[in-house]
């Protein structure tokens, strides 16, 4: 490490999307504060994925020190629910994290001045307190979800039934009313371990010296204003620092050196008309059931719309591939004759197995819309490219995000689910046509252009969120 650098540590979690968001934050911190040195601490579940390796490789040109912690493994027969795997990994990694932070803090030349921990690693805030360094939570989700978390104790006391059974929407300060059924998965079963983990993490937010939230006022003015107004008396300092997303030239793949996939996608898009293609992707780990895959395939075909679809092996659990990928060719699960009719014969679409270079795809002139699972990272990427959204939430906080997009911001059409939990092909056809060629799509596109312009300004050096990061860096330098 160079002398006279201000040293901070950043702790992420074993999730590709969280790692990507946190690394994007750190890159912006370094660009705005060249005096910083960052030690990036990476807990590992089972083994480091190709996705994470690719992200870490992208840090070579930045002033990062990477520490990979000893892997945490669970017996294959344990059948631990995906929602519990990150909390368990983090709790078992605490001894390694404590040793790492203590060693860094004991350095005679460049002691730590601050710790930034992912929200899902919030238990490490107590370690920062014992080392007498400043502590911050990085909240990679929306400001609306942050407001929900900070009011979790109040909600828990006010509501006696399951949230999904509430007859009226919940009014969270600064946010649009949210139906209980649209709250994050962790709130859907109040007796579950997942819910208790949520309450524990939300209380830990109050211990931090500050919270960095991956959003900006132009996108969530109501939620951010409410948070800033309440911070003096109730909460730690709130710093809107978004949008933090991958940018072209950093890293865009979750497979190392998968250049053939990149080239095929982009070459195919180069041949398509401007704004004519719908990009279909459910994030880094979202999966559909076999029945739902069949309905989506039929809906895409009947829509008559050009599409680029990232296909995964079907699974009845929507987050089945969140931590582990599949080596099975997912295209074999498509309906009989679909590839021959829709891909080979008519050229209506392009199918990509498991992964595609999303950053480059979303910025391509041929893309006219994004059918997405509504992960916050994908939403911000869509905003930065001014793309209208078809909201198809699967798990975590994605239903709440979909409500914010469709009911609040009016920049998305949300798919309707039938009584069996399936989005039928007829519904898929209607929503695709509304967004891609209908008047509603034109209105959404105009609104998205406004949001894109604001988001681009935030990434400039004089943007308010960039200034928040610069101000933090200066505060750390002066300690």
């Amino acid at each position: 490490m160079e002398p006279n650098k201000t040293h901070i540590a950043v702790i992420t979690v074993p999730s590709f999307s969280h790692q990507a968001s946190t690394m994007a934050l750190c890159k912006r911190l370094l660009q705005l504060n060249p005096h910083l040195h960052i030690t990036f601490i990476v807990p590992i579940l089972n083994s480091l994925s190709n996705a994470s390796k690719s992200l870490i490789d992208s840090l070579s040109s930045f002033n990062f020190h990477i520490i990979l912690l000893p892997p945490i493994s669970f017996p294959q027969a344990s059948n631990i629910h995906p929602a519990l795997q990150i909390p368990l990994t983090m709790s078992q990694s605490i001894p390694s994290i404590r040793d790492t932070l203590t060693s860094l803090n004991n350095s005679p030349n460049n002691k730590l001045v601050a710790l930034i921990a992912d929200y899902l690693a919030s238990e490490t805030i107590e370690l920062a307190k014992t080392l007498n360094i400043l502590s911050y939570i990085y909240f990679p989700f929306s400001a609306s979800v942050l407001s929900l978390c900070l009011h979790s104790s109040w909600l828990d006391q006010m509501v006696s039934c399951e949230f999904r059974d509430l007859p009226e929407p919940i009014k969270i300060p600064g946010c649009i009313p949210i139906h209980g059924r649209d709250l994050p998965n962790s709130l859907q079963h109040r007796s579950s371990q997942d819910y208790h983990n949520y309450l524990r993490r939300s209380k830990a937010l109050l211990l931090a010296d500050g919270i960095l939230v991956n959003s900006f006022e132009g996108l969530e003015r109501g939620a951010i204003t409410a948070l800033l107004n309440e911070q003096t008396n109730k909460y730690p300092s709130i710093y809107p620092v978004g949008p933090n997303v991958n940018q072209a030239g950093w890293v865009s793949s979750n497979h190392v050196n998968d250049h053939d996939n990149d080239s095929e996608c982009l070459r195919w898009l180069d041949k398509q008309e401007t704004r004519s293609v719908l990009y279909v992707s459910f994030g880094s780990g979202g999966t559909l059931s076999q029945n739902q895959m069949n309905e989506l395939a039929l809906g895409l075909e009947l829509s008559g719309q050009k599409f680029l679809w990232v296909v995964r092996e079907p699974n009845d659990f929507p987050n089945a591939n969140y931590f582990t990928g599949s080596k099975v060719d997912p295209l074999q699960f498509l309906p009989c004759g679909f590839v021959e009719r829709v891909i080979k014969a008519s050229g209506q679409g392009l199918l990509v197995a498991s992964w595609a270079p999303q950053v480059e795809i979303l910025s391509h002139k041929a893309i006219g819309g994004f059918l997405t699972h509504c992960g916050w990272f994908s939403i911000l990427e869509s905003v930065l490219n001014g793309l209208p959204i078809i909201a198809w939430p699967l798990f975590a906080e994605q239903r709440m995000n979909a409500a914010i997009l469709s009911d609040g911001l009016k920049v998305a059409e949300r798919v309707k689910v039938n009584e069996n939990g399936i989005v039928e092909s007829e519904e898929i056809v209607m929503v695709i046509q509304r967004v891609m060629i209908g008047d509603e799509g034109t209105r959404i596109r105009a609104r998205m252009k406004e949001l894109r312009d604001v988001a681009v300004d935030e990434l400039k050096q004089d943007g308010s969120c960039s200034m928040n990061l610069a101000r933090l860096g200066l505060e750390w330098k002066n300690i």
Side-chain angles (χ1 to χ4, degrees):
M1 185 194 308
E2 298 177 41
N4 302 319
K5 289 281 188 179
T6 301
H7 190 190
I8 67 171
V10 177
I11 300 176
T12 185
V13 296
S15 159
F16 172 76
S17 58
H18 283 250
Q19 291 168 350
S21 182
T22 308
M23 287 185 183
L25 167 72
C26 291
K27 288 172 181 176
R28 288 183 64 209
L29 270 171
L30 289 175
Q31 289 170 337
L32 295 163
N33 302 279
H35 62 274
L36 288 182
H37 175 83
I38 294 178
T39 294
F40 202 83
I41 301 171
V42 184
I44 299 172
L45 173 58
N46 296 323
S47 62
L48 195 66
S49 67
N50 286 338
S52 298
K53 291 176 183 176
S54 182
L55 281 172
I56 289 172
D57 287 345
S58 74
L59 302 179
S60 58
S61 61
F62 291 82
N63 191 23
F64 276 84
H65 175 213
I66 307 294
I67 295 180
L68 304 179
L69 298 181
I72 302 298
S73 299
F74 303 119
Q76 291 185 351
S78 59
N79 292 324
I80 298 173
H81 193 279
L84 299 178
Q85 292 187 29
I86 286 181
L88 285 172
T89 300
M90 296 310 301
S91 64
Q92 294 189 30
S93 296
I94 286 296
S96 297
I97 295 173
R98 181 188 296 109
D99 291 345
T100 299
L101 292 177
T102 301
S103 175
L104 294 172
N105 199 48
N106 288 338
S107 172
N109 298 321
N110 295 89
K111 291 186 178 181
L112 286 175
V113 300
L115 169 71
I116 301 175
D118 187 290
Y119 167 64
L120 297 184
S122 56
E123 59 264 59
T124 61
I125 294 300
E126 294 183 0
L127 299 179
K129 299 296 183 185
T130 63
L131 295 172
N132 198 30
I133 61 176
L134 293 173
S135 58
Y136 299 82
I137 293 288
Y138 175 52
F139 198 83
F141 312 111
S142 70
S144 298
V145 174
L146 175 59
S147 185
L148 170 67
C149 292
L150 288 172
H151 291 89
S152 58
S153 295
W154 171 76
L155 280 173
D156 188 58
Q157 295 171 7
M158 292 293 295
V159 177
S160 58
C161 64
E162 293 287 2
F163 290 108
R164 63 180 180 274
D165 295 329
L166 288 171
E168 298 294 330
I170 295 171
K171 296 180 180 179
I172 306 162
C175 308
I176 64 167
I178 301 291
H179 288 283
R181 62 180 178 272
D182 283 334
L183 292 178
N185 277 28
S186 54
L187 279 72
Q188 294 303 314
H189 302 280
R190 298 179 71 183
S191 62
S192 68
Q193 184 61 48
D194 198 15
Y195 182 68
H196 293 301
N197 287 339
Y198 157 77
L199 291 178
R200 174 181 53 77
R201 287 193 300 265
S202 297
K203 290 178 182 177
L205 288 168
L206 303 178
L207 301 176
D209 294 298
I211 302 172
L212 287 63
V213 58
N214 191 14
S215 192
F216 55 98
E217 285 196 42
L219 184 63
E220 294 188 278
R221 188 170 305 279
I224 289 177
T225 299
L227 289 168
L228 293 176
N229 288 340
E230 291 182 310
Q231 68 180 351
T232 303
N233 298 322
K234 293 183 178 181
Y235 309 132
S237 298
I238 306 295
Y239 301 90
V241 296
N244 292 309
V245 298
N246 288 330
Q247 296 182 22
W250 284 359
V251 60
S252 61
S253 91
N254 63 345
H255 284 79
V256 178
N257 298 325
D258 200 350
H259 299 303
D260 291 340
N261 243 3
D262 294 29
S263 300
E264 180 186 7
C265 291
L266 301 178
R267 282 198 302 268
W268 185 82
L269 287 173
D270 288 341
K271 300 174 184 177
Q272 312 307 319
E273 297 180 4
T274 300
R275 292 202 302 268
S276 66
V277 177
L278 175 68
Y279 177 54
V280 182
S281 175
F282 294 93
S284 58
T287 51
L288 304 177
S289 67
Q290 181 66 72
N291 287 341
Q292 186 61 86
M293 177 184 278
N294 294 342
E295 291 293 322
L296 176 55
L298 182 58
L300 289 170
E301 179 178 4
L302 295 177
S303 73
Q305 190 67 47
K306 292 274 189 173
F307 64 86
L308 194 166
W309 179 10
V310 183
V311 184
R312 286 201 181 89
E313 178 185 358
N315 195 296
D316 289 337
F317 291 96
N319 53 355
N321 282 348
Y322 197 63
F323 297 106
T324 58
S326 172
K327 296 182 180 180
V328 177
D329 180 9
L331 304 188
Q332 66 180 292
F333 297 97
L334 291 165
C336 182
F338 178 80
V339 173
E340 288 71 19
R341 293 191 312 273
V342 183
I343 307 303
K344 295 181 179 179
S346 70
Q348 181 185 346
L350 179 68
L351 303 173
V352 182
S354 302
W355 173 84
Q358 181 159 300
V359 172
E360 286 78 7
I361 288 172
L362 291 178
S363 62
H364 198 285
K365 64 180 179 62
I367 298 297
F370 186 11
L371 191 160
T372 172
H373 66 311
C374 293
W376 192 243
F377 209 51
S378 289
I379 289 170
L380 292 178
E381 288 178 332
S382 192
V383 168
L384 276 169
N385 288 285
L387 294 173
I389 288 173
I390 296 175
W392 189 322
L394 296 179
F395 58 91
E397 88 290 0
Q398 295 162 12
R399 289 188 300 274
M400 185 168 170
N401 291 343
I404 294 168
L405 293 172
S406 58
D407 301 336
L409 293 170
K410 309 292 185 183
V411 294
E413 284 284 315
R414 185 174 178 177
V415 297
K416 294 181 175 61
V417 181
N418 70 13
E419 63 276 8
N420 296 317
I422 296 293
V423 183
E424 298 176 346
S425 59
E426 294 85 353
E427 166 69 10
I428 296 168
V429 171
M430 286 191 294
V431 75
I432 288 176
Q433 293 181 345
R434 282 200 300 268
V435 168
M436 295 298 291
I437 60 177
D439 292 340
E440 183 61 21
T442 301
R443 287 190 289 270
I444 290 175
R445 192 169 286 107
R447 174 63 179 139
M448 267 298 203
K449 183 181 182 301
E450 295 174 3
L451 290 178
R452 179 196 64 192
D453 294 342
V454 176
V456 169
D457 285 341
E458 289 289 359
L459 291 174
K460 295 177 181 177
Q461 191 163 353
D462 60 352
S464 62
C465 289
S466 293
M467 291 177 68
N468 283 337
L469 292 176
R471 178 160 57 92
L472 275 171
L474 184 61
E475 290 176 5
W476 296 332
K477 183 179 181 179
N478 292 331
I479 292 176

